[in-house]
Amino acid sequence: MDALKKMGYFSIGEASKKQRKPTRLTHFLHPSSKKSIQVLQQSEVIVDIVTFLEKSLRRTDLDGIIIVTFYRETLLSLLRCIHVMGQKICDQFLRIVKGFTCLEPIIRKTCLTNCDGEVRISFSTAAQIFNLEEPKLQIYDECCCITYEVMKKLDQMGILNRSCQSISSSLMKKFETFYTELTKFESLIGFLSLELKKSNDLSFIAIFCPFPRSSQLVQLEEHIANFYIELLVLNKMTLSDLKEIGQKHGGEQLYKRIRSVITNSIPQQRTSIMDNLDIAIMATVEWVTVCNQSVEEVHQRKHETPTYDSEGSMPEEVPPKHTSYKDSEMTKLESFLVQEFGRQNSQKFTRACLEIICKSMCILWENCGFMIERLSKIYFDQSLTIEVREEIFLKSLHQSAQDKPAEWKGFSLMDLIETTEKFFNATTSYKDK
């Protein structure tokens, strides 16, 4: 969806005069006809699909519906959307849908010879195999027709029934667990994307091919970062596991463990892409090490004994242990935050207190993978609305901090996000410096 918006395929409704937030996406600009087609929100689409399936089932004497998709990715996307919608729509879906089958793996197994398990089958290839009319425009109406005709052919061959699998609450629970674990890696994925972008050797080759999605709709470094994280989660390596291994055994052992898992997860003939994955592995070790060091520093500060004045009262603040930033440019942001918050709260906080608070804020930015360069790219990205930027930041920050961390003495994450924006508004783009 984001890629389509950036490429100009969607038009956005006019913003309300009372609200800064734009209305939802309302039209799709057809790439060939250039006609404006009204579209629904993703949540509205899911509700419509489930409602349609429910009404269709009522018109029969059947117990349930089996969903047939051509690609597994289509089914996974559907299940992910249903999961995001919440338990109510998920339960409704499970009452209707009892099973699923994906056609591409069946065709590959029963109709092709002398091929490895990585061969992907396009709709045009499927049409040729089953003597069907090939799609001309590659639009979804044609793809659905081919899927339907291929399904009938496989059913006549007696293959389809043997390939159906059941959809149950336990399967949906496994999917929910997998997806939930993936969301915990969002901060790391952002950091990996930045590190991968520095390489000139990235390409959509071998297992990095986004098929059946178009490579035009995928950002290469983000695609590889997400693929890499999915491999880790599929091999039962959670974010907490990575941090625990790094803390107990160090970065070298963490690197060896991850590399072993990744190498064993990909086909032997595809190990040539390990150079690109090595970038992601080393960046992971670096990110985990910084996170663990931050946790240790916080733990030490909590156990430090504060000093008291002669009257036995608690001082306003305890001077922090000296902490150097990984990104030296972060000191400029810290100074700006101290100055800005001091101007807004001149009577409430001493400068020493604000310095402690702002240093904690900048450390949080770094711990969540937001160095100055990455912050600059996000704040200066004209395609991102204020709301989208805030969502990107809050998703990551909430994994490491509460909305109003106690040590910030009343300042919130939104205060940090909005004041950091003022910092970049007062400077030129990071790339121009």
Side-chain angles (χ1 to χ4, degrees), residues 15 22 40 44 67-68 80 88 92 116 119 123 127 141 172 233 266 337 406 428:
L40 299 173
E44 295 171 325
I67 288 184
V68 178
R80 174 190 174 278
K88 183 177 179 181
Q92 184 182 2
D116 61 32
V119 172
F123 285 104
D141 285 347
M172 292 296 289
V233 177
I266 60 178
L337 294 177
T428 57

Side-chain angles (χ1 to χ4, degrees), residues 52-294:
F52 169 76
L53 292 175
E54 189 172 40
K55 289 180 179 179
S56 299
L57 183 61
R58 287 175 183 171
R59 292 195 293 267
T60 72
D61 58 353
L62 302 175
D63 295 329
I65 289 175
I66 293 177
I67 288 184
V68 178
T69 65
F70 196 88
Y71 296 114
R72 286 175 295 189
E73 289 86 350
T74 306
L75 178 67
L76 291 173
S77 295
L78 174 62
L79 294 181
R80 174 190 174 278
C81 293
I82 290 173
H83 161 67
V84 171
M85 289 285 290
Q87 192 62 43
K88 183 177 179 181
I89 196 75
C90 183
D91 291 341
Q92 184 182 2
F93 177 79
L94 288 175
R95 286 196 297 269
I96 304 164
V97 179
K98 303 300 181 183
F100 70 91
T101 188
C102 303
L103 302 183
E104 187 200 21
I106 302 174
I107 299 171
R108 185 164 49 238
K109 182 179 180 180
T110 60
C111 302
L112 300 184
T113 58
N114 299 324
C115 68
D116 61 32
E118 297 176 61
V119 172
R120 301 305 304 265
I121 302 171
S122 65
F123 285 104
S124 295
T125 302
Q128 293 174 10
I129 292 174
F130 293 96
N131 297 318
L132 303 173
E133 183 179 353
E134 293 187 44
K136 298 177 181 178
L137 300 176
Q138 292 292 342
I139 58 177
Y140 277 102
D141 285 347
E142 292 180 332
C143 296
C144 289
C145 286
I146 290 176
T147 300
Y148 178 69
E149 293 300 326
V150 170
M151 178 190 71
K152 289 199 301 183
K153 296 275 188 180
L154 292 173
D155 191 34
Q156 292 169 3
M157 295 166 63
I159 297 173
L160 199 63
N161 286 341
R162 301 196 302 269
S163 305
C164 290
Q165 302 180 57
S166 65
I167 288 183
S168 61
S169 57
S170 60
L171 178 64
M172 292 296 289
K173 187 66 177 177
K174 290 179 181 178
F175 182 83
E176 178 184 354
T177 301
F178 176 76
Y179 178 70
T180 301
E181 193 58 45
L182 283 180
T183 59
K184 296 178 182 179
F185 281 90
E186 286 181 354
S187 295
L188 176 56
I189 290 173
F191 180 71
L192 295 177
S193 298
L194 286 176
E195 294 300 304
L196 287 165
K197 196 170 186 178
K198 298 175 183 177
S199 172
N200 297 321
D201 299 324
L202 301 184
S203 62
F204 290 114
I205 62 170
I207 56 177
F208 291 151
C209 177
F211 185 89
R213 297 177 67 190
S214 168
S215 59
Q216 293 181 333
L217 303 180
V218 178
Q219 291 188 348
L220 178 56
E221 61 275 3
E222 291 184 4
H223 174 69
I224 295 177
N226 278 281
F227 178 85
Y228 160 78
I229 293 299
E230 287 172 5
L231 284 180
L232 291 182
V233 177
L234 285 170
N235 284 278
K236 310 298 183 184
M237 291 197 76
T238 65
L239 185 60
S240 57
D241 290 336
L242 295 179
K243 291 181 177 179
E244 184 178 356
I245 295 170
Q247 187 177 40
K248 289 184 177 180
H249 305 289
E252 184 177 351
Q253 286 300 316
L254 176 60
Y255 171 83
K256 290 180 179 179
R257 184 79 66 87
I258 296 176
R259 202 178 196 286
S260 174
V261 167
I262 296 297
T263 303
N264 293 332
S265 300
I266 60 178
Q268 189 64 33
Q269 65 269 34
R270 299 302 186 189
T271 52
S272 59
I273 51 89
M274 278 304 299
D275 289 342
N276 290 332
L277 288 176
D278 256 338
I279 299 174
I281 297 172
M282 289 187 288
T284 300
V285 173
E286 180 182 353
W287 187 85
V288 169
T289 301
V290 171
C291 287
N292 284 340
Q293 288 174 349
S294 175

Side-chain angles (χ1 to χ4, degrees), residues 327-334 336 371-377 379-380 420-433:
D327 184 352
S328 59
E329 292 287 315
M330 195 64 74
T331 56
K332 297 179 181 178
L333 175 58
E334 179 190 332
F336 180 86
M371 305 302 173
I372 291 296
E373 181 180 4
R374 186 183 178 199
L375 288 171
S376 175
K377 289 177 181 177
Y379 277 113
F380 283 101
T420 301
E421 182 175 11
K422 292 181 181 179
F423 168 76
F424 286 104
N425 287 340
T427 63
T428 57
S429 173
Y430 185 83
K431 292 180 180 179
D432 299 332
K433 290 185 177 181

